Amino acid sequence: MQAFDDPIYVTRPSLPPLADFVSGLQQIWDSRWLTNDGPLVRQLEDRLAAAQGVAGALAFCNGTLALQIGLQALNLSGSVITTPFTFVATSHALFWNKLQPIFSDIDPTNFNLDPARIEEKITPWTTAILAVHVFGEPCDHEALADIASRHNLKLIYDAAHAFGVRTRGQSIAQLGDMSMFSFHATKVFHTFEGGMLAFSDPALQRRLGHLRNFGFESEVEVVMPGTNAKMNEVQALMGLLMLDRMDSMIGSQACIAQRYRQCLQDIPGIVCSLPAPGTEGNHGYFSIRVTGDFGCSRDDLYESLKKFNVFTRRYFYPLVCDHSCYRAVTVHDPLPVARRVTTEVLALPMYPELSLDDVQRICEIIRHIHDGKTDNGKRDG
Ligand code: T4K
C-alpha cells in the first residue's frame, strides 16, 4: 500500500479566491479603518445575527476570549458543570473567571455531556452548565434546558465546532443563554482567528461590548476593567468572503462524510459517528471510534497512518481533567464513558478540498492496517 506523496492533515483551511481578498484589502487600505468596531466587523456581525436568527452576535479576536468574556458577562460564581471531553479552552475560560469546573460524564453516542449525570453534581454553589456541541453534534438541549431551569442555572454552549449547524429546524445559536463559536483557521467557517458570541438577551450586548473593548463607554469614561478582544477588519473581510462560500463548503464536506461512511462500514472495529435525526450538520469533523475488533488500538492506528503520510488527530485526548494543570481539581465522577471514549476516538482528515478519491484511499489504508493486524492479513499473506 503506497503512502501519499504529500501529507494529508486532519484539516486544511478553505480560502476564498485571492483576488477577492485583495480587492477587499484595497477597501481597507482606502478607508484606513483597521480595527475598533470598523465597518466590516459591523457588517459581519449583522449578517451573522440575521443568518443565525439571534438578537445579538458579537465578533471577537478568537473563540477562547469570546467564551471567557461571555462567562464574565453572565456574572457567574462558584462552580460550573462541564465536560472533560473537549478542547482545553473550554475549561480555561472557566479558570480565567475563577470558576471551579465540575467534570461530568458524557453520552457515548454523541460525546456530549450526559444530562442524566448532571443533577447529582448540583450544589448550592453551582451557577451554570457549560456544555460543548462536540464535533458540531448538538447536545440534548431539551434535557439540559430542563435541568438548568429547574435549578436556576445559566446554560452556556461552547459551540466552537458548530457554526452553521441546525437542529430540528432551528439554528444551534438560538439554544441556551449564550453560545460561543470559534472562527479559527481549522474550522468550517473561519476568519484566520476569530470567534463569536450569540445570545438572546439584548441587555447583554452593552456589557459584552464593554468587556471586549477595555470597558469604554465613551471617549472619557471606562465603566469596567474590560480587556481587548476585538476582531479587526482583515479578519472580518475574510469572514464576509467565507460566508458566501458556506453552503458549498458544507455540501462538499457532507459528500466526504458520506464517502467515509460507505468505505469504512464493513471494517471490523471501526465505528463511524452518525448525526442525530433532525440535525443539519456542518460536517466540520469526521470522527471514528476504534474498538477492540479492529486488531490494534486507536493510538496504534494513529501512528500507523502517519507512515502513510496521513496525520489524524486524537481529539480529545487526554481528557481535560487529566492535563497537569487541572490535576489539582477534584473529580468526583469516575467518568467511565469519557475515559473509554478518549482512548477510542480519532478525527480523520476533513476539509472541503479533500478529494473523494483521497477519502477512499485513506479508508483503504485503514483497511490495510486492520488486515495487517488480524487474521485477514495472515490469510492473504
Ligand atoms: N472550544 C472548543 C471545543 C474548541 O475546539 C476550541 C478550539 C476552542 C474552544 C477555542 O477556540 P479558538 O480560541 O481556537 O477560536 C486546533 C485549533 O487551534 C483550535 O481552534 C481547535 N479548537 C482545536 C480543536 O484544534 P490544534 O492544536 O489541533 O491545531 P493545529 O495547529 O495542530 O492544526 C491542526 C491541523 O490543521 C494541522 O495539522 C495542519 C492544519 N492547519 C492548521 C492551521 C492552524 C493548516 O493546514 N493551516 C493552519 O493555518 O488546535
Side-chain angles (χ1 to χ4, degrees), residues 16-305:
L18 185 57
D20 294 353
F21 191 69
V22 170
S23 99
L25 283 178
Q26 186 65 55
Q27 280 178 37
I28 296 175
W29 253 241
D30 292 344
S31 72
R32 302 230 172 188
W33 199 277
L34 308 186
T35 184
N36 289 5
D37 210 15
L40 296 181
V41 167
R42 285 187 170 217
Q43 205 180 317
L44 180 65
E45 288 176 337
D46 289 348
R47 281 187 62 184
L48 291 172
Q52 307 302 313
V54 287
L58 280 191
F60 288 81
C61 57
N62 62 55
T64 304
L65 274 172
L67 184 57
Q68 245 173 259
I69 287 173
L71 295 170
Q72 197 176 346
L74 292 170
N75 279 323
L76 304 177
S77 61
S79 62
V80 173
I81 295 172
T82 192
T83 171
F85 188 71
T86 181
F87 191 60
V88 285
T90 313
S91 284
H92 288 356
L94 294 173
F95 176 88
W96 281 79
N97 278 285
K98 299 190 167 47
L99 295 163
Q100 167 94 356
I102 304 293
F103 295 108
S104 193
D105 210 357
I106 60 171
D107 178 331
T109 57
N110 59 15
F111 313 146
N112 293 329
L113 268 181
D114 181 351
R117 304 303 308 277
I118 290 180
E119 274 188 288
E120 66 204 27
K121 300 187 180 73
I122 296 173
T123 71
W125 291 274
T126 312
T127 53
I129 299 170
L130 173 55
V132 181
H133 302 297
V134 174
F135 304 140
E137 185 61 24
C139 291
D140 182 349
H141 173 67
E142 269 177 30
L144 293 178
D146 175 54
I147 297 168
S149 95
R150 281 189 289 104
H151 294 273
N152 197 22
L153 306 177
K154 295 287 183 201
L155 175 56
I156 302 118
Y157 284 112
D158 176 336
H161 305 172
F163 185 71
V165 172
R166 296 179 69 78
T167 167
R168 298 173 190 190
Q170 188 183 15
S171 160
I172 206 163
Q174 296 172 0
L175 308 182
D177 293 291
M178 189 182 277
S179 296
M180 178 281 282
F181 296 87
S182 167
F183 297 162
H184 183 260
T186 54
K187 301 294 182 290
V188 173
F189 169 80
H190 74 89
T191 56
F192 297 103
E193 290 265 6
M196 171 181 106
L197 286 177
F199 44 92
S200 45
D201 177 2
L204 281 170
Q205 178 104 11
R206 200 152 154 256
R207 187 165 161 74
L208 289 168
H210 285 146
L211 286 168
R212 180 178 68 168
N213 186 29
F214 308 102
F216 274 114
E217 166 67 23
S218 71
E219 206 177 307
V220 289
E221 193 186 358
V222 172
V223 293
M224 62 184 76
T227 186
N228 179 359
K230 291 165 278 142
M231 179 179 274
N232 67 47
E233 290 290 280
V234 178
Q235 288 174 290
L237 167 62
M238 177 60 95
L240 287 165
L241 294 172
M242 292 299 287
L243 265 188
D244 296 334
R245 301 165 57 82
M246 271 297 279
D247 287 348
S248 88
M249 290 189 304
I250 290 180
S252 306
Q253 297 192 159
C255 294
I256 293 170
Q258 193 185 11
R259 182 60 65 92
Y260 268 130
R261 287 198 179 95
Q262 274 166 4
C263 298
L264 293 172
Q265 62 180 347
D266 61 341
I267 303 182
I270 297 293
V271 183
C272 296
S273 53
L274 265 182
T279 304
E280 294 163 54
N282 64 15
H283 309 283
Y285 291 84
F286 190 86
S287 70
I288 56 169
R289 279 175 48 215
V290 184
T291 64
D293 297 343
F294 183 69
C296 72
S297 68
R298 183 276 313 268
D299 288 351
D300 285 342
L301 174 59
Y302 163 79
E303 291 298 338
S304 302
L305 283 167

Side-chain angles (χ1 to χ4, degrees), residues 335-371:
L335 307 169
V337 179
R339 292 209 176 282
R340 191 182 77 238
V341 164
T342 192
T343 63
E344 291 179 346
V345 172
L346 195 62
L348 300 184
M350 170 57 92
Y351 45 88
E353 289 83 9
L354 183 64
S355 76
L356 294 179
D357 285 349
D358 283 351
V359 173
Q360 189 147 342
R361 195 157 147 211
I362 292 166
C363 297
E364 279 161 17
I365 292 171
I366 294 174
R367 188 183 298 279
H368 172 80
I369 294 168
H370 159 75
D371 288 352

